[in-house]
Amino acid sequence: MSPDEKPLEWIGSSRKDLMALPADVQRLFGFALSLAQAGDKHDAAKVLKGIEPVQGLLAPRQWFCGMGC
C-alpha cells in the first residue's frame, strides 16, 4: 500500500462474501476498491445514500449477475 492510499476496512463478512464470488467479479471489485483507496471512483460505483456517518462510502450499481455473468 502506498502512503497515499487509504486503508481498506472489511465490515462483517464482506471479505468472505467477496471471496465466494466468481474470480472475474473478485477482480472487478478489487480494481474498484483499489481506485477508492486512491481517492478515485470506478464507473460502476455510486455513493450510498442514507448513511451519513460514513463519508464517501461506495457500492456497486448492480449485483455481479447484472454484469452479464
Side-chain angles (χ1 to χ4, degrees):
M1 185 165 98
S2 77
D4 296 333
E5 287 180 338
K6 295 178 182 177
L8 184 61
E9 296 183 30
W10 298 97
I11 299 172
S13 66
S14 58
R15 185 172 193 274
K16 179 182 158 192
D17 296 341
L18 177 60
M19 295 298 119
L21 297 173
D24 57 334
V25 176
Q26 289 180 32
R27 281 190 295 277
L28 175 66
F29 273 77
F31 179 64
L33 289 170
S34 68
L35 288 174
Q37 283 182 277
D40 204 353
K41 187 179 101 164
H42 191 279
D43 291 340
K46 66 176 182 176
V47 176
L48 289 175
K49 294 180 182 169
I51 300 181
E52 295 298 325
V54 182
Q55 297 295 321
L57 183 62
L58 301 176
R61 284 191 186 159
Q62 310 171 319
W63 292 106
F64 68 95
C65 286
M67 294 180 193
C69 61

